[in-house]
Amino acid sequence: RGKTPLGRPGLLLGIGDDAAAFEPWQRPVVVTTDAVVEGVHWRHDLIGADGVGHRLLAANLSDLAAMGAQPLYGFLNLGLRPETEVAWVDDFLDGLLGLAGCFGLTLAGGDVVRSAANFASLTAVGRAGPRLLRRSDAKAGQVVVVSGPLGDAGAYVLMSERGLAIDSEWGVTFRRAFHRPWPAIDLGRALADLESPAAMGAVMDLSDGLAIDLPRLCLASGLRAIVEADKLPVSTALWNLAEALDLPVWELAVRGGEDFGLLFTCPEETAAGLMRSTAAEIAGGLTVIGRVTEDQRVLIRAEGESLALPRPQFVHFGAADPR
Amino acid sequence: RGKTPLGRPGLLLGIGDDAAAFEPWQRPVVVTTDAVVEGVHWRHDLIGADGVGHRLLAANLSDLAAMGAQPLYGFLNLGLRPETEVAWVDDFLDGLLGLAGCFGLTLAGGDVVRSAANFASLTAVGRAGPRLLRRSDAKAGQVVVVSGPLGDAGAYVLMSERGLAIDSEWGVTFRRAFHRPWPAIDLGRALADLESPAAMGAVMDLSDGLAIDLPRLCLASGLRAIVEADKLPVSTALWNLAEALDLPVWELAVRGGEDFGLLFTCPEETAAGLMRSTAAEIAGGLTVIGRVTEDQRVLIRAEGESLALPRPQFVHFGAADPR
């Protein structure tokens, strides 16, 4: 127990003692934490309790994915209004524990407290892979890659806010993206497993949309980037929405947050190799969207012009509290 | 780095990337989490922001102390009403980081979110000592020991609730106990360092008062206990309060919560040895208050009778949400 670096470390003490304890391991310990509040990060008319639980854990796991870590243990603090129904809490836990089960994460501790507003605060602990993936490791000339289609989760919020019918065929795509985001754990671990450090660049997760997250990655790396609007991976549903709203589809793609895919940079040949991997397939596919530069600004080439990446004009849940 | 089991493991990545990462170590990883909510766990008329920050971390550290762990990293989620003043947040962090500095705990991550009620959720990560201290390891015939005086923090809340003047000489003792509890980290580590496993029994921290916590320890160990009312360690201040309220002082001692000392069982000779240690002195002294039995109930011998340990009759902050 606890001797082989790749075995799953066992829980020595779980809920019921003063604290949880688990076996140590021989790679860095990775920890992330997130909190969501009723009325700020979720609205009852847009999402059920199971979706809130799923999305909170997905945000945590997405952070672990961006470090290349394997999820192991979670710690949950729940603040509940006295009139909150038990069924709501059950549904919340169903959503959270369902996703936890998919990745082998064990809920090992937590607390329930009374509160004037419902909130949930989750801390996840994971084990790093052979290498830690950082935001600051981009190198000039590397390609910029994203996983999955962009903008679908944001499109769900946009449609809801504008009162557009989300029971259309494409509404289903957005609803799924918003309610059941799939964190790119397998992809993150595949990136951390690459044999040569030179094979990888910077990595982060797409939590606030490309227009916010790509400049963050560039800032951390001390570099810039240029992306091609017509290379951004978008769903047919997003094309349809863009047409209905008379907006360029790339604007919806870069502004929508909470897709929870990965954004990373790497040499062109690494990207080519990764695209054929199962991890890439599970993550919804990989797309090279641009290149790291030593330019002055982070740019997008669209409609024949090079533009600054636009800041989001509509507020999605969570954008009020950018991380 | 990270090679010697007793060196402090380094932070590899702190605030600013997707997650924090730190060097692994060779002993169990201990994690605890607590949340406090404005109006439920603290009232502005009873405590300042610095006290709230100090107490939240003290509760976390007290849990680590009860496991015999060394505190290493903390992760804080803050929920804030939009009208919360920056000075309040500064004071809160001063209180929390001041205590963190005393024990070498580094704040390595967290989030600030908007909320309808102010709340703080803290997760602390520590490294176990040579042995994990559990609630379930009591053995019949061992003595029951507590650290520090009992009931002073609870007395502060009681006086506030009854509108009694807390600017009296004894009020100062209670105020200090309530505002600046000192977690028994050194004592916990000393207990975990004892050479023979047979030298120790069960350990937990006194967060809800002896009347609640001792039955919990007994339940976890499948045993019972009897304590002597006239052996309970109490301050002169508590004697004075008991006289003013015409209550037996032992009732105030067993009912007051949030003293954050340790409650443990061990062979009589271990207790005798520990009492002369520096760790015991830092923890406010050790007192043998009774003995573990195979009896039917958890009892207190007071005024010539053996009584069931009374449940608290006044609610202190936090008792509304027993852990």
Side-chain angles (χ1 to χ4, degrees), chain A residues 17-18 20-22 24 27 29 31 33 77 114 121 123 135 205 321, chain B residues 17-18 20-22 24-25 27 29 31 33 77 114 121 123 135 205 321:
Chain A
D17 214 297
D18 292 280
F22 38 87
R27 285 180 179 162
V29 181
V31 183
T33 191
N77 283 329
R114 193 151 45 90
S121 173
T123 304
R135 293 185 180 185
D205 78 316
D321 307 286
Chain B
D17 214 297
D18 292 279
F22 37 87
W25 53 79
R27 285 177 178 164
V29 181
V31 183
T33 190
N77 283 329
R114 192 151 46 91
S121 173
T123 303
R135 293 186 179 184
D205 77 316
D321 306 285

PDB file of all heavy atoms in Angstrom, chain A residues 17-18 20-22 24 27 29 31 33 77 114 121 123 135 205 321, chain B residues 17-18 20-22 24-25 27 29 31 33 77 114 121 123 135 205 321:
ATOM      1  N   ASP A  17     -13.890  11.120  11.835  1.00  0.00           N
ATOM      2  CA  ASP A  17     -12.851  11.516  12.785  1.00  0.00           C
ATOM      3  C   ASP A  17     -12.668  13.031  12.676  1.00  0.00           C
ATOM      4  O   ASP A  17     -13.468  13.708  12.041  1.00  0.00           O
ATOM      5  CB  ASP A  17     -11.550  10.742  12.528  1.00  0.00           C
ATOM      6  CG  ASP A  17     -10.817  10.459  13.835  1.00  0.00           C
ATOM      7  OD1 ASP A  17     -10.410  11.420  14.507  1.00  0.00           O
ATOM      8  OD2 ASP A  17     -10.673   9.280  14.196  1.00  0.00           O
ATOM      9  N   ASP A  18     -11.639  13.576  13.303  1.00  0.00           N
ATOM     10  CA  ASP A  18     -11.459  15.029  13.264  1.00  0.00           C
ATOM     11  C   ASP A  18     -11.055  15.519  11.887  1.00  0.00           C
ATOM     12  O   ASP A  18     -11.327  16.649  11.511  1.00  0.00           O
ATOM     13  CB  ASP A  18     -10.407  15.449  14.299  1.00  0.00           C
ATOM     14  CG  ASP A  18     -10.904  15.238  15.715  1.00  0.00           C
ATOM     15  OD1 ASP A  18     -11.655  16.081  16.203  1.00  0.00           O
ATOM     16  OD2 ASP A  18     -10.572  14.202  16.317  1.00  0.00           O
ATOM     17  N   ALA A  20      -9.675  13.904   7.673  1.00  0.00           N
ATOM     18  CA  ALA A  20      -9.424  12.740   6.817  1.00  0.00           C
ATOM     19  C   ALA A  20      -7.924  12.529   6.710  1.00  0.00           C
ATOM     20  O   ALA A  20      -7.142  13.477   6.847  1.00  0.00           O
ATOM     21  CB  ALA A  20     -10.014  12.979   5.441  1.00  0.00           C
ATOM     22  N   ALA A  21      -7.513  11.296   6.482  1.00  0.00           N
ATOM     23  CA  ALA A  21      -6.094  11.006   6.281  1.00  0.00           C
ATOM     24  C   ALA A  21      -5.984   9.970   5.178  1.00  0.00           C
ATOM     25  O   ALA A  21      -6.772   9.028   5.121  1.00  0.00           O
ATOM     26  CB  ALA A  21      -5.459  10.491   7.567  1.00  0.00           C
ATOM     27  N   PHE A  22      -5.034  10.162   4.285  1.00  0.00           N
ATOM     28  CA  PHE A  22      -4.809   9.156   3.247  1.00  0.00           C
ATOM     29  C   PHE A  22      -3.326   8.930   3.038  1.00  0.00           C
ATOM     30  O   PHE A  22      -2.485   9.740   3.438  1.00  0.00           O
ATOM     31  CB  PHE A  22      -5.515   9.511   1.941  1.00  0.00           C
ATOM     32  CG  PHE A  22      -5.525  10.963   1.577  1.00  0.00           C
ATOM     33  CD1 PHE A  22      -4.478  11.511   0.874  1.00  0.00           C
ATOM     34  CD2 PHE A  22      -6.597  11.779   1.938  1.00  0.00           C
ATOM     35  CE1 PHE A  22      -4.482  12.855   0.516  1.00  0.00           C
ATOM     36  CE2 PHE A  22      -6.600  13.126   1.594  1.00  0.00           C
ATOM     37  CZ  PHE A  22      -5.541  13.671   0.887  1.00  0.00           C
ATOM     38  N   PRO A  24       0.345   8.668   1.639  1.00  0.00           N
ATOM     39  CA  PRO A  24       1.106   9.618   0.817  1.00  0.00           C
ATOM     40  C   PRO A  24       1.490   8.981  -0.518  1.00  0.00           C
ATOM     41  O   PRO A  24       1.298   7.790  -0.717  1.00  0.00           O
ATOM     42  CB  PRO A  24       2.352   9.870   1.658  1.00  0.00           C
ATOM     43  CG  PRO A  24       2.555   8.593   2.405  1.00  0.00           C
ATOM     44  CD  PRO A  24       1.184   8.045   2.679  1.00  0.00           C
ATOM     45  N   ARG A  27       4.624  11.802  -5.855  1.00  0.00           N
ATOM     46  CA  ARG A  27       4.627  12.898  -6.825  1.00  0.00           C
ATOM     47  C   ARG A  27       3.963  14.113  -6.200  1.00  0.00           C
ATOM     48  O   ARG A  27       3.262  13.983  -5.200  1.00  0.00           O
ATOM     49  CB  ARG A  27       3.852  12.467  -8.076  1.00  0.00           C
ATOM     50  CG  ARG A  27       4.645  11.490  -8.930  1.00  0.00           C
ATOM     51  CD  ARG A  27       3.845  11.100 -10.128  1.00  0.00           C
ATOM     52  NE  ARG A  27       4.585  10.192 -10.971  1.00  0.00           N
ATOM     53  CZ  ARG A  27       4.029   9.422 -11.889  1.00  0.00           C
ATOM     54  NH1 ARG A  27       2.725   9.449 -12.060  1.00  0.00           N
ATOM     55  NH2 ARG A  27       4.770   8.634 -12.621  1.00  0.00           N
ATOM     56  N   VAL A  29       1.638  16.972  -4.793  1.00  0.00           N
ATOM     57  CA  VAL A  29       0.244  17.015  -4.377  1.00  0.00           C
ATOM     58  C   VAL A  29      -0.373  18.262  -5.022  1.00  0.00           C
ATOM     59  O   VAL A  29       0.187  19.350  -4.924  1.00  0.00           O
ATOM     60  CB  VAL A  29       0.149  17.127  -2.839  1.00  0.00           C
ATOM     61  CG1 VAL A  29      -1.307  17.139  -2.383  1.00  0.00           C
ATOM     62  CG2 VAL A  29       0.921  15.989  -2.182  1.00  0.00           C
ATOM     63  N   VAL A  31      -3.757  20.719  -5.390  1.00  0.00           N
ATOM     64  CA  VAL A  31      -4.991  21.067  -4.683  1.00  0.00           C
ATOM     65  C   VAL A  31      -5.654  22.264  -5.360  1.00  0.00           C
ATOM     66  O   VAL A  31      -4.987  23.239  -5.712  1.00  0.00           O
ATOM     67  CB  VAL A  31      -4.713  21.424  -3.201  1.00  0.00           C
ATOM     68  CG1 VAL A  31      -6.017  21.723  -2.462  1.00  0.00           C
ATOM     69  CG2 VAL A  31      -3.977  20.291  -2.503  1.00  0.00           C
ATOM     70  N   THR A  33      -9.576  24.656  -5.331  1.00  0.00           N
ATOM     71  CA  THR A  33     -10.806  24.891  -4.588  1.00  0.00           C
ATOM     72  C   THR A  33     -11.687  25.880  -5.325  1.00  0.00           C
ATOM     73  O   THR A  33     -11.188  26.758  -6.029  1.00  0.00           O
ATOM     74  CB  THR A  33     -10.471  25.370  -3.149  1.00  0.00           C
ATOM     75  OG1 THR A  33     -11.645  25.355  -2.363  1.00  0.00           O
ATOM     76  CG2 THR A  33      -9.877  26.765  -3.137  1.00  0.00           C
ATOM     77  N   ASN A  77     -17.880  21.713   1.669  1.00  0.00           N
ATOM     78  CA  ASN A  77     -18.647  22.459   2.663  1.00  0.00           C
ATOM     79  C   ASN A  77     -19.908  22.986   2.008  1.00  0.00           C
ATOM     80  O   ASN A  77     -19.847  23.648   0.985  1.00  0.00           O
ATOM     81  CB  ASN A  77     -17.827  23.632   3.219  1.00  0.00           C
ATOM     82  CG  ASN A  77     -16.799  23.171   4.227  1.00  0.00           C
ATOM     83  OD1 ASN A  77     -17.014  22.185   4.930  1.00  0.00           O
ATOM     84  ND2 ASN A  77     -15.675  23.867   4.291  1.00  0.00           N
ATOM     85  N   ARG A 114     -25.524  26.213   8.488  1.00  0.00           N
ATOM     86  CA  ARG A 114     -26.670  27.041   8.180  1.00  0.00           C
ATOM     87  C   ARG A 114     -26.186  28.332   7.531  1.00  0.00           C
ATOM     88  O   ARG A 114     -25.122  28.846   7.883  1.00  0.00           O
ATOM     89  CB  ARG A 114     -27.413  27.342   9.484  1.00  0.00           C
ATOM     90  CG  ARG A 114     -28.784  27.917   9.332  1.00  0.00           C
ATOM     91  CD  ARG A 114     -29.676  27.527  10.530  1.00  0.00           C
ATOM     92  NE  ARG A 114     -29.005  27.682  11.815  1.00  0.00           N
ATOM     93  CZ  ARG A 114     -29.015  28.811  12.550  1.00  0.00           C
ATOM     94  NH1 ARG A 114     -29.633  29.877  12.108  1.00  0.00           N
ATOM     95  NH2 ARG A 114     -28.420  28.854  13.722  1.00  0.00           N
ATOM     96  N   SER A 121     -18.763  24.878  -1.294  1.00  0.00           N
ATOM     97  CA  SER A 121     -17.334  25.118  -1.443  1.00  0.00           C
ATOM     98  C   SER A 121     -16.652  23.759  -1.512  1.00  0.00           C
ATOM     99  O   SER A 121     -16.823  22.933  -0.620  1.00  0.00           O
ATOM    100  CB  SER A 121     -16.843  25.929  -0.243  1.00  0.00           C
ATOM    101  OG  SER A 121     -15.441  26.059  -0.252  1.00  0.00           O
ATOM    102  N   THR A 123     -13.096  21.466  -2.328  1.00  0.00           N
ATOM    103  CA  THR A 123     -11.647  21.400  -2.495  1.00  0.00           C
ATOM    104  C   THR A 123     -11.298  19.999  -2.989  1.00  0.00           C
ATOM    105  O   THR A 123     -11.768  19.019  -2.422  1.00  0.00           O
ATOM    106  CB  THR A 123     -10.929  21.674  -1.157  1.00  0.00           C
ATOM    107  OG1 THR A 123     -11.356  22.946  -0.655  1.00  0.00           O
ATOM    108  CG2 THR A 123      -9.419  21.690  -1.332  1.00  0.00           C
ATOM    109  N   ARG A 135       0.941  27.297 -16.625  1.00  0.00           N
ATOM    110  CA  ARG A 135       0.499  28.315 -17.572  1.00  0.00           C
ATOM    111  C   ARG A 135       1.664  29.063 -18.201  1.00  0.00           C
ATOM    112  O   ARG A 135       1.488  29.747 -19.203  1.00  0.00           O
ATOM    113  CB  ARG A 135      -0.365  29.358 -16.850  1.00  0.00           C
ATOM    114  CG  ARG A 135      -1.664  28.845 -16.357  1.00  0.00           C
ATOM    115  CD  ARG A 135      -2.494  29.981 -15.779  1.00  0.00           C
ATOM    116  NE  ARG A 135      -3.765  29.458 -15.308  1.00  0.00           N
ATOM    117  CZ  ARG A 135      -4.746  30.199 -14.834  1.00  0.00           C
ATOM    118  NH1 ARG A 135      -4.596  31.507 -14.760  1.00  0.00           N
ATOM    119  NH2 ARG A 135      -5.880  29.653 -14.441  1.00  0.00           N
ATOM    120  N   ASP A 205      -7.013  25.548 -18.166  1.00  0.00           N
ATOM    121  CA  ASP A 205      -8.341  25.116 -18.595  1.00  0.00           C
ATOM    122  C   ASP A 205      -9.164  26.317 -19.054  1.00  0.00           C
ATOM    123  O   ASP A 205      -8.907  27.454 -18.662  1.00  0.00           O
ATOM    124  CB  ASP A 205      -9.052  24.293 -17.510  1.00  0.00           C
ATOM    125  CG  ASP A 205      -9.622  25.155 -16.403  1.00  0.00           C
ATOM    126  OD1 ASP A 205      -8.926  26.076 -15.947  1.00  0.00           O
ATOM    127  OD2 ASP A 205     -10.762  24.903 -15.982  1.00  0.00           O
ATOM    128  N   ASP A 321     -17.073  36.885 -11.026  1.00  0.00           N
ATOM    129  CA  ASP A 321     -15.975  36.596 -10.110  1.00  0.00           C
ATOM    130  C   ASP A 321     -14.841  35.936 -10.874  1.00  0.00           C
ATOM    131  O   ASP A 321     -14.582  34.761 -10.680  1.00  0.00           O
ATOM    132  CB  ASP A 321     -16.440  35.657  -8.994  1.00  0.00           C
ATOM    133  CG  ASP A 321     -17.671  36.187  -8.306  1.00  0.00           C
ATOM    134  OD1 ASP A 321     -17.526  37.136  -7.540  1.00  0.00           O
ATOM    135  OD2 ASP A 321     -18.749  35.645  -8.555  1.00  0.00           O
TER     136      ASP A 321
ATOM    137  N   ASP B  17      -1.798  29.858 -10.840  1.00  0.00           N
ATOM    138  CA  ASP B  17      -1.991  28.837 -11.870  1.00  0.00           C
ATOM    139  C   ASP B  17      -3.368  28.221 -11.659  1.00  0.00           C
ATOM    140  O   ASP B  17      -4.178  28.726 -10.890  1.00  0.00           O
ATOM    141  CB  ASP B  17      -0.867  27.794 -11.828  1.00  0.00           C
ATOM    142  CG  ASP B  17      -0.534  27.285 -13.229  1.00  0.00           C
ATOM    143  OD1 ASP B  17      -1.412  26.671 -13.861  1.00  0.00           O
ATOM    144  OD2 ASP B  17       0.597  27.527 -13.691  1.00  0.00           O
ATOM    145  N   ASP B  18      -3.688  27.126 -12.354  1.00  0.00           N
ATOM    146  CA  ASP B  18      -5.018  26.535 -12.214  1.00  0.00           C
ATOM    147  C   ASP B  18      -5.221  25.909 -10.844  1.00  0.00           C
ATOM    148  O   ASP B  18      -6.340  25.797 -10.357  1.00  0.00           O
ATOM    149  CB  ASP B  18      -5.243  25.489 -13.309  1.00  0.00           C
ATOM    150  CG  ASP B  18      -5.326  26.139 -14.682  1.00  0.00           C
ATOM    151  OD1 ASP B  18      -6.396  26.656 -15.015  1.00  0.00           O
ATOM    152  OD2 ASP B  18      -4.315  26.172 -15.388  1.00  0.00           O
ATOM    153  N   ALA B  20      -2.838  24.725  -6.952  1.00  0.00           N
ATOM    154  CA  ALA B  20      -1.568  24.749  -6.228  1.00  0.00           C
ATOM    155  C   ALA B  20      -0.934  23.365  -6.299  1.00  0.00           C
ATOM    156  O   ALA B  20      -1.628  22.364  -6.421  1.00  0.00           O
ATOM    157  CB  ALA B  20      -1.795  25.134  -4.769  1.00  0.00           C
ATOM    158  N   ALA B  21       0.385  23.321  -6.224  1.00  0.00           N
ATOM    159  CA  ALA B  21       1.081  22.029  -6.192  1.00  0.00           C
ATOM    160  C   ALA B  21       2.221  22.131  -5.202  1.00  0.00           C
ATOM    161  O   ALA B  21       2.899  23.151  -5.137  1.00  0.00           O
ATOM    162  CB  ALA B  21       1.612  21.674  -7.579  1.00  0.00           C
ATOM    163  N   PHE B  22       2.402  21.084  -4.406  1.00  0.00           N
ATOM    164  CA  PHE B  22       3.526  21.081  -3.489  1.00  0.00           C
ATOM    165  C   PHE B  22       4.177  19.713  -3.461  1.00  0.00           C
ATOM    166  O   PHE B  22       3.606  18.700  -3.875  1.00  0.00           O
ATOM    167  CB  PHE B  22       3.141  21.541  -2.081  1.00  0.00           C
ATOM    168  CG  PHE B  22       1.787  21.097  -1.606  1.00  0.00           C
ATOM    169  CD1 PHE B  22       1.627  19.875  -0.977  1.00  0.00           C
ATOM    170  CD2 PHE B  22       0.670  21.915  -1.781  1.00  0.00           C
ATOM    171  CE1 PHE B  22       0.391  19.465  -0.520  1.00  0.00           C
ATOM    172  CE2 PHE B  22      -0.576  21.505  -1.331  1.00  0.00           C
ATOM    173  CZ  PHE B  22      -0.718  20.273  -0.704  1.00  0.00           C
ATOM    174  N   PRO B  24       5.598  16.162  -2.493  1.00  0.00           N
ATOM    175  CA  PRO B  24       4.994  15.100  -1.686  1.00  0.00           C
ATOM    176  C   PRO B  24       5.864  14.804  -0.462  1.00  0.00           C
ATOM    177  O   PRO B  24       6.976  15.307  -0.345  1.00  0.00           O
ATOM    178  CB  PRO B  24       5.012  13.909  -2.636  1.00  0.00           C
ATOM    179  CG  PRO B  24       6.189  14.154  -3.523  1.00  0.00           C
ATOM    180  CD  PRO B  24       6.304  15.646  -3.679  1.00  0.00           C
ATOM    181  N   TRP B  25       5.319  14.022   0.456  1.00  0.00           N
ATOM    182  CA  TRP B  25       6.095  13.606   1.621  1.00  0.00           C
ATOM    183  C   TRP B  25       5.782  12.147   1.908  1.00  0.00           C
ATOM    184  O   TRP B  25       4.984  11.530   1.210  1.00  0.00           O
ATOM    185  CB  TRP B  25       5.816  14.513   2.815  1.00  0.00           C
ATOM    186  CG  TRP B  25       4.365  14.659   3.158  1.00  0.00           C
ATOM    187  CD1 TRP B  25       3.588  13.786   3.849  1.00  0.00           C
ATOM    188  CD2 TRP B  25       3.503  15.759   2.803  1.00  0.00           C
ATOM    189  NE1 TRP B  25       2.313  14.261   3.969  1.00  0.00           N
ATOM    190  CE2 TRP B  25       2.224  15.467   3.333  1.00  0.00           C
ATOM    191  CE3 TRP B  25       3.684  16.947   2.108  1.00  0.00           C
ATOM    192  CZ2 TRP B  25       1.126  16.320   3.173  1.00  0.00           C
ATOM    193  CZ3 TRP B  25       2.597  17.784   1.965  1.00  0.00           C
ATOM    194  CH2 TRP B  25       1.342  17.479   2.494  1.00  0.00           C
ATOM    195  N   ARG B  27       4.618  10.578   4.727  1.00  0.00           N
ATOM    196  CA  ARG B  27       3.676  10.190   5.782  1.00  0.00           C
ATOM    197  C   ARG B  27       2.269  10.519   5.327  1.00  0.00           C
ATOM    198  O   ARG B  27       2.084  11.312   4.400  1.00  0.00           O
ATOM    199  CB  ARG B  27       3.994  10.942   7.068  1.00  0.00           C
ATOM    200  CG  ARG B  27       5.227  10.380   7.756  1.00  0.00           C
ATOM    201  CD  ARG B  27       5.529  11.193   8.977  1.00  0.00           C
ATOM    202  NE  ARG B  27       6.676  10.654   9.682  1.00  0.00           N
ATOM    203  CZ  ARG B  27       7.354  11.320  10.605  1.00  0.00           C
ATOM    204  NH1 ARG B  27       6.989  12.540  10.922  1.00  0.00           N
ATOM    205  NH2 ARG B  27       8.377  10.765  11.207  1.00  0.00           N
ATOM    206  N   VAL B  29      -1.273  12.020   4.435  1.00  0.00           N
ATOM    207  CA  VAL B  29      -1.732  13.384   4.175  1.00  0.00           C
ATOM    208  C   VAL B  29      -3.017  13.570   4.981  1.00  0.00           C
ATOM    209  O   VAL B  29      -3.919  12.732   4.916  1.00  0.00           O
ATOM    210  CB  VAL B  29      -2.023  13.565   2.673  1.00  0.00           C
ATOM    211  CG1 VAL B  29      -2.473  14.994   2.386  1.00  0.00           C
ATOM    212  CG2 VAL B  29      -0.799  13.195   1.834  1.00  0.00           C
ATOM    213  N   VAL B  31      -6.266  16.069   5.922  1.00  0.00           N
ATOM    214  CA  VAL B  31      -7.023  17.204   5.383  1.00  0.00           C
ATOM    215  C   VAL B  31      -8.269  17.440   6.217  1.00  0.00           C
ATOM    216  O   VAL B  31      -8.975  16.493   6.573  1.00  0.00           O
ATOM    217  CB  VAL B  31      -7.440  16.956   3.916  1.00  0.00           C
ATOM    218  CG1 VAL B  31      -8.161  18.178   3.354  1.00  0.00           C
ATOM    219  CG2 VAL B  31      -6.233  16.628   3.051  1.00  0.00           C
ATOM    220  N   THR B  33     -11.646  20.504   6.819  1.00  0.00           N
ATOM    221  CA  THR B  33     -12.289  21.669   6.229  1.00  0.00           C
ATOM    222  C   THR B  33     -13.396  22.171   7.144  1.00  0.00           C
ATOM    223  O   THR B  33     -14.015  21.385   7.858  1.00  0.00           O
ATOM    224  CB  THR B  33     -12.808  21.328   4.812  1.00  0.00           C
ATOM    225  OG1 THR B  33     -13.229  22.524   4.152  1.00  0.00           O
ATOM    226  CG2 THR B  33     -13.969  20.345   4.845  1.00  0.00           C
ATOM    227  N   ASN B  77     -11.883  29.843   0.562  1.00  0.00           N
ATOM    228  CA  ASN B  77     -12.918  30.444  -0.276  1.00  0.00           C
ATOM    229  C   ASN B  77     -13.699  31.451   0.559  1.00  0.00           C
ATOM    230  O   ASN B  77     -14.202  31.123   1.625  1.00  0.00           O
ATOM    231  CB  ASN B  77     -13.882  29.381  -0.819  1.00  0.00           C
ATOM    232  CG  ASN B  77     -13.273  28.609  -1.963  1.00  0.00           C
ATOM    233  OD1 ASN B  77     -12.466  29.151  -2.714  1.00  0.00           O
ATOM    234  ND2 ASN B  77     -13.648  27.348  -2.107  1.00  0.00           N
ATOM    235  N   ARG B 114     -19.049  36.401  -4.984  1.00  0.00           N
ATOM    236  CA  ARG B 114     -20.115  37.242  -4.482  1.00  0.00           C
ATOM    237  C   ARG B 114     -21.147  36.359  -3.786  1.00  0.00           C
ATOM    238  O   ARG B 114     -21.375  35.226  -4.203  1.00  0.00           O
ATOM    239  CB  ARG B 114     -20.752  37.981  -5.672  1.00  0.00           C
ATOM    240  CG  ARG B 114     -21.676  39.098  -5.327  1.00  0.00           C
ATOM    241  CD  ARG B 114     -21.679  40.161  -6.447  1.00  0.00           C
ATOM    242  NE  ARG B 114     -21.790  39.568  -7.782  1.00  0.00           N
ATOM    243  CZ  ARG B 114     -22.958  39.341  -8.403  1.00  0.00           C
ATOM    244  NH1 ARG B 114     -24.094  39.612  -7.798  1.00  0.00           N
ATOM    245  NH2 ARG B 114     -22.979  38.831  -9.621  1.00  0.00           N
ATOM    246  N   SER B 121     -14.838  29.542   3.868  1.00  0.00           N
ATOM    247  CA  SER B 121     -14.659  28.094   3.872  1.00  0.00           C
ATOM    248  C   SER B 121     -13.166  27.824   3.750  1.00  0.00           C
ATOM    249  O   SER B 121     -12.527  28.293   2.809  1.00  0.00           O
ATOM    250  CB  SER B 121     -15.429  27.497   2.695  1.00  0.00           C
ATOM    251  OG  SER B 121     -15.167  26.121   2.569  1.00  0.00           O
ATOM    252  N   THR B 123      -9.891  25.019   3.983  1.00  0.00           N
ATOM    253  CA  THR B 123      -9.414  23.643   3.974  1.00  0.00           C
ATOM    254  C   THR B 123      -7.932  23.672   4.311  1.00  0.00           C
ATOM    255  O   THR B 123      -7.186  24.454   3.720  1.00  0.00           O
ATOM    256  CB  THR B 123      -9.625  23.001   2.595  1.00  0.00           C
ATOM    257  OG1 THR B 123     -11.010  23.077   2.257  1.00  0.00           O
ATOM    258  CG2 THR B 123      -9.204  21.535   2.591  1.00  0.00           C
ATOM    259  N   ARG B 135     -10.047   8.766  17.065  1.00  0.00           N
ATOM    260  CA  ARG B 135     -11.049   8.818  18.133  1.00  0.00           C
ATOM    261  C   ARG B 135     -11.379   7.437  18.683  1.00  0.00           C
ATOM    262  O   ARG B 135     -11.974   7.315  19.738  1.00  0.00           O
ATOM    263  CB  ARG B 135     -12.354   9.397  17.586  1.00  0.00           C
ATOM    264  CG  ARG B 135     -12.273  10.832  17.193  1.00  0.00           C
ATOM    265  CD  ARG B 135     -13.650  11.321  16.801  1.00  0.00           C
ATOM    266  NE  ARG B 135     -13.564  12.736  16.442  1.00  0.00           N
ATOM    267  CZ  ARG B 135     -14.598  13.488  16.129  1.00  0.00           C
ATOM    268  NH1 ARG B 135     -15.811  12.965  16.123  1.00  0.00           N
ATOM    269  NH2 ARG B 135     -14.441  14.750  15.813  1.00  0.00           N
ATOM    270  N   ASP B 205     -10.423  16.710  19.303  1.00  0.00           N
ATOM    271  CA  ASP B 205     -10.327  18.071  19.843  1.00  0.00           C
ATOM    272  C   ASP B 205     -11.647  18.472  20.480  1.00  0.00           C
ATOM    273  O   ASP B 205     -12.710  17.929  20.164  1.00  0.00           O
ATOM    274  CB  ASP B 205      -9.867  19.080  18.787  1.00  0.00           C
ATOM    275  CG  ASP B 205     -10.967  19.474  17.825  1.00  0.00           C
ATOM    276  OD1 ASP B 205     -11.703  18.588  17.361  1.00  0.00           O
ATOM    277  OD2 ASP B 205     -11.091  20.669  17.522  1.00  0.00           O
ATOM    278  N   ASP B 321     -24.800  23.698  14.348  1.00  0.00           N
ATOM    279  CA  ASP B 321     -24.379  22.801  13.279  1.00  0.00           C
ATOM    280  C   ASP B 321     -23.353  21.813  13.822  1.00  0.00           C
ATOM    281  O   ASP B 321     -22.184  21.900  13.495  1.00  0.00           O
ATOM    282  CB  ASP B 321     -23.739  23.589  12.132  1.00  0.00           C
ATOM    283  CG  ASP B 321     -24.661  24.700  11.649  1.00  0.00           C
ATOM    284  OD1 ASP B 321     -25.622  24.392  10.963  1.00  0.00           O
ATOM    285  OD2 ASP B 321     -24.389  25.856  12.005  1.00  0.00           O
TER     286      ASP B 321
END
